[in-house]
Amino acid sequence: MTTTVLSPLLGVGLVVAVFVGYNIGGATTGPAFGPAVGANVISKVLAAALMSFFFFLGAVTIGPQVVETLGGDGQLLQNADVFTMRANVAVLFFIGGALFVGNYAGVPASTSMTAVGAISALGFATGELNWAELGSIASWWIVAPILGFWVSGVIGRYFYPRLNAWIAIEGSEDELLIRFERDGLLPRVRFRGGGDRREAFGAVVVVAIGCLMAFSSGTSNVANAIAPIYGTGEVGMYPLILLGSAAVTVGCFTIARRTLDTLGNDITNLPLTAAIIVAVVSSTIVIVLSSLGVPASFVVIATMSIIGLGWGRATRTTSISEAARGEETRVSVGALTAEEEGEAVPEIGEEEPTDIPRASDLFDPATTARVIIMQNVVPLISTVGAYLTFRWIPVFGF
């Protein structure tokens, strides 16, 4: 009778993978459920529970396809045998370290781009990189954010006021809009004040979108924590998914409380309706790409969706007649305020040209540039650091 002994390096690799999953849970819960918690629709505990469940659901259904792309034989790496335990620990170290740099800079970085960079560096250093697969992934990384920008831009220009009128939630500091009462055998859902139909609809939409974001995060992000270990062949796919999802759950119930307090650094600082639009567009794109086995970056797609939505809302108040005359584009702050308050909004080109700043006042171009730059610098740190390590440090045996 033989006994399987956990090797020290495998143990270290699993610990680092858990740490990566823990941080994924902490970083993604805020963007997913920040709008719902910020509007006092649900509690932080319920947000963490929903995030954990739907992340696992995405990880166990579509997630394996992305894990195969990053850690499977003949995928991103032509020969997964280069995933030795030493290389595995190093790859996870560079993924976690680079993401820490992004978090320290206050910029949400792409875990998918960072992970692909570190794994690609391993393949390049060993001559096992599948350039065709990497090119396919990189192509989607270019197309997806552009698609998110234009879809959100069209929504912002033509449909935002109507959507904003449908989704209306009056925040309350005293009482949750949705709560569970345990006065019977099974908990029952209760809405604040008996449940105004319009407000209840908005609440359900906000929570449903959070669940969609959690699901999309699971489809793509679980691979970033477990793919290197899966590539070694020492642990099966589904035990690793369970381990990664458990680590994400711990992060959801602990460090995610801070991101929920601040509503995150990216889409959750938008008006509620705008946050929902960005979440729907970004999550849908991520889910589609994950189903194709492409590790997608929700953060980058969401960032470009935010920019597109702001651009669309700005240009909707441009006077068509003035544009035809070649005059300077102007944006009505009053119209934008009316949208947020649910008031009647004039048709495009019919706004009063009073108190009208430039479109750039709707979002800060300098901040936008800083975010985009850092979102590319963080994966670059992971890629370059990993390549130099695998190429020049003999201990890895390559």
Side-chain angles (χ1 to χ4, degrees), residues 125-298:
T126 58
E128 296 293 344
L129 179 60
N130 186 339
W131 287 99
E133 184 69 23
L134 179 61
S136 176
I137 293 172
S139 298
W140 279 113
W141 283 353
I142 296 173
V143 171
I146 295 175
L147 180 63
F149 174 90
W150 282 109
V151 171
S152 298
V154 170
I155 294 174
R157 179 171 172 82
Y158 297 106
F159 304 105
Y160 187 89
R162 183 173 299 176
L163 292 173
N164 192 63
W166 288 348
I167 304 169
I169 298 177
E170 297 294 334
S172 171
E173 297 181 358
D174 302 322
E175 184 181 1
L176 291 174
L177 178 56
I178 299 178
R179 66 185 188 277
F180 287 94
E181 293 183 352
R182 297 180 178 85
D183 53 356
L185 181 61
L186 298 174
R188 292 183 296 176
V189 178
R190 288 288 183 269
F191 288 89
R192 183 176 63 220
D196 175 79
R197 180 175 298 180
R198 185 163 173 262
E199 190 176 48
F201 171 75
V204 170
V205 168
V206 172
V207 175
I209 295 310
C211 295
L212 177 65
M213 291 178 66
F215 180 86
S216 70
S217 179
T219 64
S220 183
N221 282 331
V222 71
N224 303 323
I226 67 173
I229 295 180
Y230 173 72
T232 66
E234 296 193 27
V235 185
M237 171 82 75
Y238 289 99
L240 285 172
I241 288 179
L242 289 174
L243 179 66
S245 298
V248 168
T249 298
V250 175
C252 293
F253 280 94
T254 53
I255 58 174
R257 300 180 69 87
R258 181 171 299 176
T259 60
L260 285 170
D261 280 332
T262 59
L263 303 184
N265 296 320
D266 42 20
I267 67 169
T268 52
N269 63 357
L270 298 175
L272 190 59
T273 303
I276 292 173
I277 293 171
V278 171
V280 171
V281 173
S282 305
S283 297
T284 301
I285 294 174
V286 169
I287 290 173
V288 171
L289 291 182
S290 296
S291 66
L292 298 175
V294 178
S297 170
F298 176 84

